[in-house]
Amino acid sequence: MKDAIAGKTMLALTLFAVLLVLLMIAGLYLKSRPVLSSHSLGELFFSTRWRPFRGQFGFLPFILGTLWVTGVAMLIAVPLCLLTAIYLSEYAPARVREWVKPLIDILAGIPSVVFGVWGMLVVVPFIKDTVAPAFKVFSTGYSVLAGGIVLAIMVFPVIIHVTLEVLRAVPSEVREASLALGATRWQTVKRVVLRKALPGVAAAVVLGIARAFGETMAVLMVVGNVPKVPKSVLDPAYPLPALIANNYGEMLSVPLYDSALMLAALILLLVILAFNVASRLVLRRVERSLR
Amino acid sequence: MENRTHISVQGLNVHIRREHVLKDINLSIPDRKITAIIGPSGCGKTTLLRSFNRLIDATEGVRVSGRVLVDDEDILDPRAEVTHIRKKMGLLLQKPFPLPMSIYENVAYGPRIHGIRDRRRLDGIVECFLRKASLWDEVSGRLSQPASALSLGQQQRLCLARGLAVEPAIILGDEPTSALDPQSSQRIEQTFTELKRDYTIVIVTHILRQARRLADHVVFLYLGELVEQGPAWDFFNNPKHPMTREYIKGLIS
Amino acid sequence: MARDRRFAEERLFRGLMIAATALIVSCLALILLTVLAKGLPFMSLDMVTRTPQGGYYLGKGGGVLNAILGSLYLAGGATLLAILIGLPVALYLNVYARPGGRFVAASRFAFDVLNGVPSIVYGAFGFTLMIFFGLRASLLGGIIAIALLILPMMARSMDEVIRLVPRELLEASYALGATRWETARRVVARQALPGILTAVLIAFGRGIGDAAAVIFTTGFTDAVPGSLLRPAATLPLAIFFQLGVPIPEVQGRAYASALILTVLILAVSLAARLLSRRLTRHVVK
């Protein structure tokens, strides 16, 4: 009797947790319906006019801002993460690996505001005083580049961790087969290991992108938050998550404003879900091939 | 080409973590013959084989001392350059592990990494070694297919062709037929007997009958120690060591 | 010669890899050092024992006790709530559900995907929930939002440790006539306890550091929270808000808060690490 009740309760809780994602989509959709019904999708997605007080909600600057910042972050993070993951998995002595892995875990645990503080104290002045003058332009330092650098450091752990798992799934005999033919280690990595691990590595990068899309506080603190489409990496930007977080105070007093912000959250959720589902499907296949 | 491929091992000791896996091994392996390393599982056969081409380096917590001379070069010398040592030896593992590429690319892989880029030359190499591994007739029409599409037995012969394509003088086989069906095993064994005209072959096996069928020279290891070695006929018909006698009779396994 | 080139390439890439690894590790060091160097001068006993004095954001005296306690209450409450849901879920997946079945695989997949949803979305969703239930920004609202945020990772990591419990142990318990519920509670949960605690600590660490999910839901106040239905301060938001104020003393409180938060998180992650090391030491292989 008790067993049956416990079983039912647990099933209910599990269903609740699993269906949470649908609940979130439904909740955010309901909230964003007013703005969806009064504005066309084309206007919402492709207009650069963001004037909430006049009822104009063009998301384009924010969408492009997100893309710029994420793009810069990935340009920095992907090569560094791949090199590090390959080093840790294929080259590093066990002792180095045992030291570096926990450090990367610690990096993953640092709260996003702390990254933001660091960005404001170190990255922003560096761009203002060193990078911008080097290109003979003026920048306050609060820029796409600052956001990209901070974001890159934040996605390091995600990409490295997943890539390491993927590389571990490559059977060591495949490496040995190549080494036994007299290939150098790098030749083996480049031509055999990476080729075999490619789908998984791609999935790791996509997970990193998804993480970067949604990151809020740290980016918000260093990108400048100007609702214009950036033209260079030294311009400020205004990514979607920052938009949502920054306007929570006034959103209830302006008509449709809250609805527009919830739509922004819904867009983020859907895009990130799609990215996550795609890469998790690939990773599940990789994991299966391990067994 | 000079043919001094002689492998000789002097005072080889291998520790893996706290375990003493190979104890003071001294032996020499005759050229252009098939040498079988036999013994019960866990006696260090594979470790011995892997110290010949220094794949043992990749093992976690390994310490190696002693000398392994190949062509009078001590390959265990830390200054020795491993890729050219490995190039001298083709390796076959228990299970075939084709590289994640086409049949053609698998065979061309070795020559390519050693700097051969000319397509026509590669075509010739691929055909030549697929023939040597007696696989050509079965795959000549579908060289661009992924290697994983072949049967296990074909994959193993592909791995053999891949190993031969870097023109080694020695072939190392780590129980190369243990994952194959009897027919495929027979084909591999047959290929080995054809190849021994040009190559020195060393195989690890725990199947006594296979050693009897193939070997010209036998090395018997037990618990990390070299018990007895010698020409196959003497070894099987006139074993000197009591332990060898028991092993041949099937008393130790 | 081709041979020289490939060795040059080997050396080049090996060098690049070591440089990349060193760079990533030094980023961590740089961040920790910056936080330490900026925060330490503002640390004092007052900072951790008093609330901010002299009015919202602008007062120069006092400390950040409101945020420290607020964060602990918030993350503690959220962790508790997430355990109440997460632990049964993990037990259900491993004891009740058909092993290797579709439902189990789908649930794990769903949690992995949910784990990737950013905290700002949880915040926005929490906010819509609160409006739906007529709640205002409050400690309770924050607890719910953070609980939802950490639930997937907690359920999933508990699931992973419970999965390691040998099947034979379950069968031995059934053979003694125990029901699944008794088996789950007395055998599985107990055997996996260290791992479960590690999962809890990691989730707590994530909860205490999050800002985006609480910015809508919890509000901010100078007072130590006295009720679940009142707004509460949190360390991440204390950092964020106070940093934007052009008064050095207030900014100093932000730096001190950053240091306190970082130390808290490092302590939690160290504790989790020690626990999991103990766990693996006692595992029979």
Side-chain angles (χ1 to χ4, degrees), chain C residues 53-118:
Chain C
Q53 304 297 305
Y56 213 58
Y57 300 149
L58 303 174
K60 295 180 181 174
V64 290
L65 183 68
N66 57 333
I68 297 173
L69 287 180
S71 265
L72 289 177
Y73 290 166
L74 179 78
T79 307
L80 219 60
L81 189 56
I83 294 174
L84 284 179
I85 305 175
L87 188 56
V89 167
L91 287 174
Y92 184 82
L93 291 181
N94 289 286
V95 180
Y96 281 77
R98 200 159 46 83
R102 244 160 215 249
F103 181 71
V104 174
S107 305
R108 287 188 176 134
F109 190 79
F111 291 136
D112 281 341
V113 168
L114 268 173
N115 201 11
V117 172

Side-chain angles (χ1 to χ4, degrees), chain A residues 93-94 97 171 173-174 176-184 187-188 191-192 195-196, chain B residues 50 53 55 60 83 86-87 89 91 93 97 99-101 109 112-114 162-163 166:
Chain A
R97 199 164 46 225
E173 287 87 348
V174 173
E176 286 175 5
S178 168
L179 290 175
L181 294 170
T184 62
Q187 282 176 320
T188 302
R191 295 177 178 221
V192 178
R195 185 185 274 222
K196 190 116 182 160
Chain B
R50 291 161 70 91
N53 66 357
L55 271 182
E60 208 77 62
T83 64
R86 289 178 180 152
K87 187 172 176 294
M89 303 181 216
L91 177 70
L93 297 169
F97 279 90
L99 300 173
M101 42 190 91
Y109 179 83
R112 271 190 213 273
I113 56 174
H114 293 291
R162 182 181 69 195
V166 294

Side-chain angles (χ1 to χ4, degrees), chain B:
Chain B
M1 201 178 128
E2 201 195 357
N3 274 317
R4 297 211 41 204
T5 58
H6 199 84
I7 304 180
S8 79
V9 179
Q10 299 169 358
L12 178 68
N13 277 286
V14 176
H15 295 256
I16 295 176
R17 293 180 204 284
R18 283 196 206 114
E19 224 179 316
H20 199 170
V21 186
L22 286 179
K23 299 169 190 161
D24 197 29
I25 305 289
N26 290 289
L27 58 84
S28 49
I29 285 172
D31 290 351
R32 293 169 190 244
K33 293 226 163 67
I34 298 181
T35 300
I37 303 175
I38 60 169
S41 51
C43 66
K45 298 179 303 244
T46 300
T47 309
L48 180 59
L49 194 76
R50 291 161 70 91
S51 40
F52 290 164
N53 66 357
R54 282 200 35 192
L55 271 182
I56 196 167
D57 293 11
T59 315
E60 208 77 62
V62 71
R63 275 178 298 130
V64 185
S65 65
R67 305 196 329 146
V68 174
L69 296 178
V70 176
D71 292 341
D72 293 331
E73 180 191 3
D74 180 11
I75 63 162
L76 294 183
D77 189 324
R79 281 162 303 176
E81 202 288 298
V82 290
T83 64
H84 95 268
I85 295 166
R86 289 178 180 152
K87 187 172 176 294
K88 287 183 195 170
M89 303 181 216
L91 177 70
L92 275 185
L93 297 169
Q94 300 191 1
K95 263 170 57 184
F97 279 90
L99 300 173
M101 42 190 91
S102 71
I103 297 172
Y104 180 97
E105 291 296 331
N106 258 276
V107 185
Y109 179 83
R112 271 190 213 273
I113 56 174
H114 293 291
I116 298 176
R117 282 177 214 278
D118 180 41
R119 184 77 194 191
R120 222 170 313 144
R121 224 175 122 200
L122 283 174
D123 287 348
I125 291 173
V126 169
E127 178 174 346
C128 164
F129 291 104
L130 281 174
R131 278 188 196 285
K132 269 204 172 166
S134 51
L135 188 62
W136 175 254
D137 297 335
E138 290 158 63
V139 301
S140 59
R142 46 174 176 151
L143 290 175
S144 56
Q145 280 185 13
S148 51
L150 296 174
S151 75
L152 267 188
Q154 289 172 326
Q155 286 185 13
Q156 190 66 312
R157 276 177 281 145
L158 178 67
C159 291
L160 181 60
R162 182 181 69 195
L164 295 178
V166 294
E167 303 190 25
I170 303 160
I171 299 170
L172 306 175
D174 185 0
E175 304 195 12
T177 61
S178 65
L180 307 182
D181 58 281
Q183 235 181 344
S184 306
S185 308
Q186 211 192 338
R187 294 208 60 171
I188 293 272
E189 288 185 9
Q190 210 181 333
T191 315
F192 275 158
T193 40
E194 284 160 21
L195 288 173
K196 76 172 174 185
R197 270 181 295 145
D198 305 313
Y199 299 90
T200 300
I201 299 174
V202 185
I203 57 168
V204 160
T205 180
H206 64 269
I207 312 167
L208 263 179
R209 270 172 299 142
Q210 188 174 47
R212 275 185 207 270
R213 277 196 303 269
L214 282 179
D216 304 303
H217 189 87
V218 180
V219 175
F220 175 43
L221 291 184
Y222 190 75
L223 296 178
E225 284 181 71
L226 182 99
V227 179
E228 184 167 347
Q229 61 163 324
W233 197 89
D234 289 351
F235 184 88
F236 286 113
N237 295 304
N238 187 17
K240 289 170 201 80
H241 200 285
M243 206 121 78
T244 316
R245 249 170 271 151
E246 284 181 36
Y247 184 70
I248 291 171
K249 276 190 233 149
L251 293 180
I252 321 174
S253 60

Side-chain angles (χ1 to χ4, degrees), chain C residues 64 66-67 220 233-243 253-254 257:
Chain C
V64 290
N66 57 333
F220 199 80
T234 48
L235 279 169
L237 288 186
I239 300 168
F240 179 59
F241 290 142
Q242 295 182 347
L243 207 57
R253 283 211 299 261
S257 308

Side-chain angles (χ1 to χ4, degrees), chain A residues 39-148:
Chain A
H39 295 69
S40 74
L41 278 179
E43 187 189 341
L44 288 170
F45 285 111
F46 298 111
S47 160
T48 56
R49 262 187 225 125
W50 179 262
R51 293 192 193 100
F53 294 92
R54 292 197 210 150
Q56 292 175 328
F57 299 102
F59 280 114
L60 192 63
F62 307 100
I63 293 172
L64 289 177
T66 298
L67 292 179
W68 269 83
V69 174
T70 305
V72 171
M74 287 300 139
L75 277 180
I76 300 170
V78 170
L80 286 175
C81 289
L82 290 191
L83 285 170
T84 302
I86 293 170
Y87 178 69
L88 291 180
S89 130
E90 313 287 321
Y91 284 81
R95 215 173 324 132
V96 173
R97 199 164 46 225
E98 275 155 30
W99 269 98
V100 174
K101 269 189 176 173
L103 291 178
I104 290 172
D105 285 347
I106 290 177
L107 194 63
I110 290 183
S112 128
V113 248
V114 173
F115 279 103
V117 171
W118 177 75
M120 285 172 76
L121 291 173
V122 177
V123 181
V124 169
F126 172 72
I127 291 171
K128 181 182 173 210
D129 301 330
T130 312
V131 180
F135 291 95
K136 305 214 161 45
V137 286
F138 171 76
S139 167
T140 55
Y142 292 91
S143 58
V144 170
L145 184 59

